[in-house]
Amino acid sequence: MAEDQQEILKRLEHLEKEMKLLKEQQAQLMGKPVQVAKSERPFKPLETPSEQVKVVVTKPVKKEFDFEKALSQWLPRVFMFILLLGVLWGLKVGMDNGFITNPVRIVMGYVGTGLLYYFGMKYYGKKNKVFGLTLLGGFIALGILTTFAAHHLYGYFSFIVAFIVGVAYIAAGLWLSEKTKSETLTIFSAIAGFLLPFLLEGESATSIQFCAYILILFLSLFYVSLRQKHKISFYISFLLFHLTLVTYGVLSGEIGDEPIIVGTVLLQHMLLLVFYLKGKIERHVFTEALIYSNFVFALGWIKVLTYNQEIIVFGLFAVLYIALSVISFSKKDDLLLGVFSAVAILAISAFVLVFNMDNGITKIILLLINGAAGLWVGFRYQTKRTIATSSFIYIMAGSAVFLATGIYDLMSLENLSWIVLLLTLGFLYYTAYQFLPKNLKVDLKKIDQSLIGGQIILLVYLLKLTAVALSDFKIGFATNEHIHLLVMIVAIGSMIQFSKWARGKYLAYSAVILYLFLGLITMGVRLATYIEFEKYMFNLSVEVLYLIGLTILFITIMKDKFLIKLAKFSVKLPLLAIIMQVVYFIFLNKWFLTFVHTYKWDTEFILLAHTFLLFAFAFASVSIGRKLDWKYVKFIGAGLIVLCVLKLFIIDLGAVSILIRAILFTIVGIVGLLYSKSLFKE
């Protein structure tokens, strides 16, 4: 910027000099002296950027609350309500004293509606719209109430006449809302229209007539809302439509009306769907959320039907939305494809759930397949709505398998459900890696981490299979548990090899943690419950195998620092060495004590052998600590030597015979001297 500014200044000075030269030449030609005008003063650049450009930043003015405007909007409504109460009480006084007869009341009601209409239109035309709309709303309300009184209270109107008059007032309300562009009048007309059949209580009206009236009324309100692009009135009409049908179904109590009511709902559903597909509905009025809610309402109504009718309608719904999804795909309409494929997944799930099956496992298997298929569609064609819907169905079905489905026979639906869960899970992971949508806030790292869930599911399945395989054999509790441990040692040990896979880092992390956790379980499992050498040796071999695997893992970490850093936690080798030292110590003592107690050794021989074992472990700890420069391992070994010497004099000295004492002290002394000599050499 500084260089550009200097260049501009140089050019301006150059132009100024040329202008002076031209003026001097002109003056010489004219024979006049040269004068420099005041406006021709040398160009002086602005010193600072703030002098060059001054930007005035004004804070947005906060709009103050217009109290008078609010008062002008609400006062007419309040006083209209007060006026109606006053008129009603005045009429009551006149009726109680016999001044106002029943026919006069009806005439006064209709005259009042005329006056309300007249003054409402008058004030609306004078730009006092709020007051005018309030009067017009009173026109509709008073007309409906007067018609109700003429029919129900006094019997002057038959049901047909009263119904026609009521519909006329509602039509007038819709016409006024169209003319005045008022959403309030549309809502007022909707409420009055849906209440009208209940106010008149016509016994001659059939279910078909009632449902036809409700459907026509809804479509009329729907048309007005669309023309005026009113969103609130549309949603209120939609909800009132279903609420009115529910109320009618409860109040009528007639058996056999259910197909008519459900047919009305389905017809409304189809009409809304057609309007949406034809693009007749503004997207900001009829959002995609209403497609889902419209579908959910329809599902609720279908449940009213009989079993056979239910299956047919659910099947047709599934076919319909599958076809709409295919059409949307052929037209390359991503929005409609996402919406309709999501609804199609829900429709297929509802169709599966409606079947009466002796075994619910079949439904779960079908839901797993349906959810997996929906997720494939969602990932393949980048539709988030389908992914969300299918994920919900798949998670619910998968949770039912994982948490509530036991396996009691290899050839069973329960086992098949677990196999389907694992196969679909593998298929979904493959799909996610191949077609992960860019618009999802999920990266491949999150997918890698989620593989741990599938890993745990697989391990649980292996445990269940092992339990089924061992159910026919009487091998004892300890051996049974060690067979389960063997399966887990092999499975988890194999999973550590996922570290060689580009996407298997977190699987390997998880496998290491699970393998360490398996050690805690192994420590707590008994080697044998009774004397049986073969089973004891098998159980011991399993635990030795676990310890060998743990040692190999530790050596691998030593060599290439495999899995040293997990997330933000850093593990140092000396610390791992101390952990390994403690684990070895626990296992050696467990094996020794289990063996001597199982085969009932004498106390003297137990103390003798145990002291030898402890000294050997201590000497090995010191040597390994010195060789690898792990000072804490070395210190722990030295501390263990001190404890062994204390045990030798405090426990062994008084608990064994003099012969055992002589043997023990002699061997310990010789070995100790030889080991000390080796330390001096080093």
Side-chain angles (χ1 to χ4, degrees), residues 3 50 86 157 244 247 258 271 299 308 312 322 342 374 441 469-470 507 521 539 558 577 588 676 682:
E3 295 177 358
S50 60
F157 290 168
T244 303
T247 306
E258 292 84 0
L271 289 172
L299 291 185
N308 292 330
I312 294 172
I322 291 173
K441 295 181 179 179
L470 297 177
L507 280 176
I521 299 174
N539 298 345
M558 287 178 57
L588 287 174
S676 302
E682 294 177 8

Side-chain angles (χ1 to χ4, degrees), residues 179-444:
K179 185 175 181 179
T180 60
K181 307 298 182 184
S182 170
E183 189 170 18
T184 303
L185 281 181
T186 306
I187 296 171
F188 215 97
S189 302
I191 296 172
F194 285 113
L195 281 176
L196 181 63
F198 301 106
L199 292 175
L200 300 182
E201 295 183 358
E203 297 180 357
S204 59
T206 62
S207 299
I208 296 177
Q209 292 172 335
F210 178 87
C211 292
Y213 165 75
I214 295 299
L215 183 61
I216 293 171
L217 175 63
F218 171 78
L219 293 176
S220 303
L221 294 165
F222 178 55
Y223 172 77
V224 173
S225 299
L226 287 185
R227 283 196 40 102
Q228 300 179 20
K229 299 181 180 180
H230 288 161
K231 186 175 182 179
I232 298 176
S233 61
F234 174 78
Y235 282 111
I236 290 177
S237 301
F238 178 82
L239 293 175
L240 286 175
F241 172 82
H242 289 280
L243 182 61
T244 303
L245 289 177
V246 170
T247 306
Y248 176 76
V250 173
L251 295 179
S252 66
E254 296 183 10
I255 301 174
D257 289 345
E258 292 84 0
I260 299 173
I261 298 175
V262 175
T264 305
V265 173
L266 296 180
L267 186 57
Q268 180 233 29
H269 182 90
M270 294 302 299
L271 289 172
L272 289 179
L273 202 55
V274 170
F275 279 119
Y276 188 77
L277 289 172
K278 293 292 184 181
K280 302 295 184 182
I281 307 175
E282 292 288 336
R283 291 291 172 90
H284 80 278
V285 175
F286 187 13
T287 62
E288 63 182 75
L290 194 59
I291 294 182
Y292 302 128
S293 58
N294 194 22
F295 174 74
V296 171
F297 273 99
L299 291 185
W301 281 108
I302 294 171
K303 293 298 295 181
V304 178
L305 299 173
T306 61
Y307 175 69
N308 292 330
Q309 294 171 339
E310 202 178 355
I311 290 177
I312 294 172
V313 176
F314 274 127
L316 291 175
F317 255 65
V319 172
L320 170 66
Y321 280 100
I322 291 173
L324 290 175
S325 302
V326 174
I327 294 172
S328 302
F329 173 72
S330 64
K331 293 183 177 180
K332 297 182 179 180
D333 192 330
D334 294 335
L335 175 63
L336 290 183
L337 175 61
V339 172
F340 289 136
S341 59
V343 178
I345 296 298
L346 289 174
I348 295 170
S349 301
F351 180 64
V352 170
L353 290 172
V354 76
F355 279 98
N356 289 331
M357 298 180 183
D358 297 332
N359 194 333
I361 300 297
T362 307
K363 290 184 180 181
I364 294 176
I365 293 173
L366 293 175
L367 289 176
L368 282 173
I369 297 172
N370 180 41
L375 281 168
W376 181 84
V377 172
F379 280 118
R380 179 64 180 82
Y381 299 106
Q382 312 285 303
T383 56
K384 291 192 293 185
R385 300 163 189 83
T386 312
I387 293 174
T389 306
S390 304
S391 297
F392 173 76
I393 293 170
Y394 188 83
I395 290 172
M396 291 296 103
S399 299
V401 174
F402 184 74
L403 299 175
T405 306
I407 302 176
Y408 307 102
D409 189 0
L410 294 178
M411 303 300 294
S412 63
L413 286 175
E414 288 80 5
N415 188 27
L416 179 61
S417 67
W418 276 90
I419 294 173
V420 171
L421 174 62
L422 290 169
L423 291 177
T424 53
L425 201 58
F427 171 73
L428 291 178
Y429 280 125
Y430 173 79
T431 303
Y433 282 121
Q434 293 293 319
F435 310 109
L436 184 65
K438 296 180 180 179
N439 54 1
L440 286 180
K441 295 181 179 179
V442 178
D443 54 11
L444 290 176

Side-chain angles (χ1 to χ4, degrees), residues 480-540:
N480 188 301
E481 293 300 308
H482 278 81
I483 292 175
H484 282 80
L485 287 173
L486 178 61
V487 172
M488 289 295 99
I489 290 169
V490 174
I492 297 174
S494 302
M495 290 177 179
I496 296 176
Q497 301 303 313
F498 279 118
S499 60
K500 299 177 182 178
W501 180 37
R503 309 248 64 94
K505 179 175 66 173
Y506 294 99
L507 280 176
Y509 287 167
S510 174
V512 171
I513 295 172
L514 289 172
Y515 197 83
L516 295 175
F517 180 74
L518 190 63
L520 298 176
I521 299 174
T522 307
M523 290 177 188
V525 176
R526 295 185 62 181
L527 273 172
T529 53
Y530 51 86
I531 300 175
E532 194 167 347
F533 184 75
E534 294 82 3
K535 293 180 180 179
Y536 173 81
M537 292 306 297
F538 171 78
N539 298 345
L540 180 62

